[in-house]
Amino acid sequence: MANGDSKLLGAQLGDLTLNGTASIAKAEFSDIIPIRSIIVRPDDDWSALAGQRVRVGGWVKTARKGSKGSRFLQLNDGSCLGNLQVFVEADKVDLGQLARTGICVVADGVLKLPPEDKEQKVELNVEKMVHVGPVDPADYPLPKTSLPLEFVRNFVHLRPRTCTISAVIRIRSALAHATHIFFLERGFLNVQTPIMNCSDCEGAGEMFQVTTLFSEGEKLEKDLLKNPPPSEADVEAAKVIVKEKGDVVTLLKSSKASKMDIGDAVAELKRAKENLWKLEERSKLQPGIPHKEGKIDYTRDFFGRPTFLTVSGQLQLEAYACSLSKAYSFGPTFRAEKSHTTRHLAEFWMVEPEMAFAELEDDMNCAEAYVKFMCEWLLEKCHEDMEFFAESYDKSCIDRLRMVASTPFERITYTEAVDLLIEAVKNGKEFENHVEWGIDLSSEHERYLTEVKFQKPVIVYNYPKDIKAFYMRLNDDSETVAAMDVLVPKVGELIGGSQREERFDVLQNRILERGLPVELYQWYLDLRRFGTVKHSGFGLGFERMVMFATGLDNIKDCIPNPRTEGRAD
């Protein structure tokens, strides 16, 4: 661990010392002490905290009655999975409002050690209740009882208060941190690629369109109702005025009138022509989306051409890798795929590195090292949250992380993978999807290879060209491309990547073969015209990595705000 990381971790855990006595790290930019700093001790020694005065804040998970009307609150502020027990006597606050799950409290008090037979290692005796954010129990949708994740998805704005989603968010945060550490320490530059594109990187066509034509059409319709367009008679009358003004100018010039008189007449003619042009243009306006020659007129759209939300930042990232050697992006991507499976989202996050002077083997090496690094990071930094998922959802999730972190990935060609699947079918294995050379491997095929055949991650490479994107480098056999997928237990495909096609003629032919508009890819072809270089890259689905780590079955629970067909609220 880097020295800076160790200092930061120490501050988060509250293991600093002052004159030999444990000192609790105060939250930066706040006047409260994070609960993690109190209840998570690296040395499992809470004795030095006894008697310290602190201010804490958080949301009440549960509340129970104590003696003489007192209350024991389980308080959580999101800094860790565990709760701090808070003891409140009746003279400190109206205890009636403290009996409700979900209330927010800020309290000053003294830390003390409970009796040794108690589960809590330390608790707070409240001296002053600084703040109470009340809750109406009749309306609050998240009771203290356990709720199905499918139900909790109906309250996306409140579900971070559940143990599961708060742990997911901490793990996502840790994986994001690990991602930036991994690539930055290896010389990659972080590049923010555009959210809106004119080209389809994957060629699948399942894209969200970005347009102002609908909103502008609605505005125009309202405007035309309020101010109707000019009639033909209005336009003809304006033409008459233009002719009359033109005749005046001609007459003045022929009679050799003064420059001032001619200038005034010319100015009036100009104004008449401008008025006629406005009337003619307005007379052409029609409510709704503009059309030209039977097609939507995208020249009237904001960008002047069809534009979409990005499905990948890869193509733009290649431009930076082919100038700066190594670059990576980490951002949202979008697919308008009408799928309601547990593995698909309309909006999801991708980690996409690109490397110049790198071939397919380099790409596979980078992908394997990155996945291992993330697994090691979670095992070191997120032990408490991983223990929660092992207890609540998938008892094998920690062992799976350890296995992936320490085991060399198997590497087989696509042809070898298909042969193994066909052999499995001959031996009695049943797949829902037919197996033959040329198919795109399905999730069940991928999981068979990783969970049954090899029982570890597998990298499959050299796929048929017809099932992969146009930008992947064509192999010498002209039938396969230098593509690779990293398959892992639990989720199947985690990473997809390839060596990119660096040969101008081959790439141009691949674009034409796919029927893509070559004019939209001229800038991409320029990278091959001007100083071409072998380069490679891949994309990791961030939510799939969260699924793999946590053992959760539905990808909708692995992202803060899931977006699927019919659900963007």
Side-chain angles (χ1 to χ4, degrees):
M1 182 188 297
N3 187 47
D5 288 338
S6 63
K7 288 183 178 178
L8 175 61
L9 182 62
Q12 290 173 337
L13 297 181
D15 62 353
L16 305 181
T17 60
L18 182 62
N19 298 327
T21 303
S23 177
I24 307 174
K26 184 179 178 182
E28 194 171 7
F29 316 121
S30 174
D31 63 349
I32 67 167
I33 301 293
I35 287 175
R36 178 181 180 85
S37 298
I38 298 172
I39 66 174
V40 180
R41 309 301 298 173
D43 54 4
D44 291 333
D45 181 14
W46 288 265
S47 60
L49 300 181
Q52 292 199 42
R53 281 183 164 76
V54 298
R55 171 173 290 184
V56 299
W59 290 264
V60 173
K61 292 284 188 177
T62 62
R64 62 180 176 86
K65 291 182 179 180
S67 61
K68 300 180 181 179
S70 60
R71 287 282 190 275
F72 287 96
L73 312 178
Q74 294 297 317
L75 198 66
N76 187 280
D77 64 0
S79 61
C80 62
L81 183 68
N83 305 320
L84 175 65
Q85 180 161 287
V86 175
F87 176 71
V88 189
E89 295 178 300
D91 61 345
K92 299 298 188 297
V93 69
D94 176 11
L95 294 181
Q97 59 185 327
L98 297 185
R100 297 162 186 170
T101 298
I103 66 170
C104 179
V105 301
V106 178
D108 292 340
V110 178
L111 295 174
K112 76 166 198 174
L113 304 182
E116 291 186 2
D117 60 342
K118 299 295 183 182
E119 181 180 348
Q120 294 77 22
K121 304 300 182 181
V122 63
E123 70 178 22
L124 181 73
N125 278 12
V126 173
E127 295 181 330
K128 178 184 177 182
M129 192 64 70
V130 179
H131 167 77
V132 175
V135 163
D136 184 345
D139 295 331
Y140 191 62
L142 302 180
K144 61 184 178 181
T145 54
S146 178
L147 295 168
L149 292 176
E150 184 177 4
F151 173 82
V152 177
R153 280 181 226 131
N154 295 316
F155 306 96
V156 173
H157 57 300
L158 294 174
R159 71 176 190 161
R161 298 187 186 183
T162 65
C163 291
T164 298
I165 301 303
S166 64
V168 164
I169 298 305
R170 284 188 294 270
I171 283 177
R172 279 185 67 101
S173 181
L175 287 171
H177 189 183
T179 293
H180 292 300
I181 291 293
F182 178 84
F183 288 110
L184 292 174
E185 288 187 347
R186 287 158 180 79
F188 287 76
L189 299 175
N190 185 211
V191 175
Q192 292 74 43
T193 53
I195 298 296
M196 293 178 284
N197 284 323
C198 294
S199 56
D200 181 0
C201 175
E202 300 300 326
E206 297 168 332
M207 304 172 72
F208 287 102
Q209 190 160 358
V210 178
T211 180
T212 58
L213 291 178
F214 290 101
S215 58
E216 291 298 324
E218 290 177 354
K219 289 179 183 177
L220 176 60
E221 187 171 0
K222 292 178 181 178
D223 180 52
L224 292 177
L225 287 173
K226 185 181 294 185
N227 303 299
S231 63
E232 288 186 22
D234 295 330
V235 175
E236 289 302 318
K239 288 180 179 178
V240 171
I241 293 174
V242 169
K243 186 179 183 307
E244 291 175 350
K245 298 296 183 182
D247 291 342
V248 170
V249 172
T250 301
L251 180 62
L252 288 173
K253 287 182 176 180
S254 63
S255 63
K256 296 182 179 180
S258 67
K259 289 184 178 180
M260 181 176 294
D261 290 341
I262 293 174
D264 291 342
V266 169
E268 288 187 19
L269 175 60
K270 185 178 179 181
R271 285 193 291 271
K273 287 182 175 180
E274 288 178 350
N275 182 59
L276 172 61
W277 178 82
K278 290 178 180 178
L279 289 174
E280 287 178 329
E281 288 298 306
R282 189 165 177 79
S283 69
K284 298 175 185 176
L285 294 178
Q286 297 290 332
I289 298 175
H291 285 72
K292 186 176 182 180
E293 298 177 354
K295 298 180 180 179
I296 294 176
D297 185 6
Y298 283 107
T299 63
R300 304 275 293 276
D301 206 353
F302 185 88
F303 290 108
R305 66 197 315 169
T307 307
F308 309 91
L309 293 180
T310 184
V311 298
S312 170
Q314 175 206 313
L315 302 189
Q316 289 78 15
L317 203 61
E318 282 185 55
Y320 285 85
C322 290
S323 298
L324 305 172
S325 295
K326 290 182 179 180
Y328 80 100
S329 66
F330 183 8
T333 53
F334 308 86
R335 301 279 172 89
E337 186 176 1
K338 293 188 176 183
S339 173
H340 295 277
T341 73
T342 59
R343 292 163 49 85
H344 290 91
L345 291 165
E347 176 187 272
F348 54 98
W349 285 66
M350 291 283 288
V351 178
E352 298 183 284
E354 291 289 328
M355 303 171 286
F357 315 105
E359 301 186 29
L360 183 62
E361 185 174 358
D362 302 305
D363 204 32
M364 292 190 286
N365 291 340
C366 180
E368 180 172 344
Y370 173 43
V371 173
K372 288 178 178 293
F373 185 87
M374 286 192 291
C375 293
E376 293 167 354
W377 190 275
L378 289 181
L379 290 169
E380 181 181 353
K381 302 291 198 301
C382 297
H383 185 73
E384 182 190 33
D385 287 319
M386 288 307 306
E387 287 282 0
F388 165 78
F389 284 109
E391 287 181 16
S392 305
Y393 292 98
D394 183 353
K395 63 182 181 181
S396 64
C397 64
I398 294 178
D399 290 338
R400 188 166 58 246
L401 288 179
R402 288 177 179 147
M403 181 272 291
V404 172
S406 60
T407 305
F409 293 8
E410 188 73 28
R411 299 188 184 188
I412 59 174
T413 66
Y414 168 87
T415 300
E416 291 170 335
V418 170
D419 288 344
L420 290 172
L421 294 170
I422 292 175
E423 181 184 355
V425 172
K426 289 179 179 178
N427 292 333
K429 175 65 179 175
E430 294 184 1
F431 293 113
E432 291 184 8
N433 298 278
H434 178 65
V435 180
E436 64 179 6
W437 199 94
I439 67 164
D440 198 1
L441 300 182
S442 67
S443 177
E444 62 174 339
H445 301 145
E446 295 165 347
R447 294 187 63 175
Y448 172 82
L449 293 171
T450 61
E451 297 172 8
V452 179
K453 182 62 181 178
F454 294 104
Q455 299 182 8
K456 64 178 180 177
V458 179
I459 302 180
V460 179
Y461 62 96
N462 288 348
Y463 280 79
K465 68 174 184 178
D466 292 336
I467 62 173
K468 288 297 182 180
F470 70 91
Y471 52 75
M472 298 184 176
R473 194 180 199 277
L474 189 66
N475 288 328
D476 293 340
D477 60 13
S478 297
E479 294 293 328
T480 62
V481 288
M484 66 91 180
D485 288 341
V486 177
L487 315 179
V488 295
K490 181 68 182 179
V491 300
E493 182 188 341
L494 178 63
I495 285 176
S498 72
Q499 183 174 337
R500 315 313 190 187
E501 183 58 75
E502 87 283 2
R503 296 165 293 185
F504 176 87
D505 293 340
V506 178
L507 178 60
Q508 182 170 252
N509 289 336
R510 293 278 285 151
I511 292 173
L512 293 171
E513 285 174 5
R514 292 297 177 91
L516 298 173
V518 70
E519 64 274 9
L520 291 181
Y521 297 93
Q522 287 302 319
W523 69 269
Y524 190 62
L525 288 165
D526 277 352
L527 300 178
R528 282 72 181 171
R529 287 191 187 97
F530 311 131
T532 189
V533 62
K534 288 186 177 181
H535 59 289
S536 301
F538 62 81
L540 173 138
F542 197 62
E543 284 71 35
R544 288 194 177 187
M545 182 64 201
V546 177
M547 282 185 74
F548 165 74
T550 62
L552 290 173
D553 292 323
N554 198 313
I555 201 168
K556 300 177 186 67
D557 301 315
C558 299
I559 191 169
N561 296 282
R563 298 290 185 249
T564 56
E565 184 187 7
R567 292 302 299 267
D569 50 316

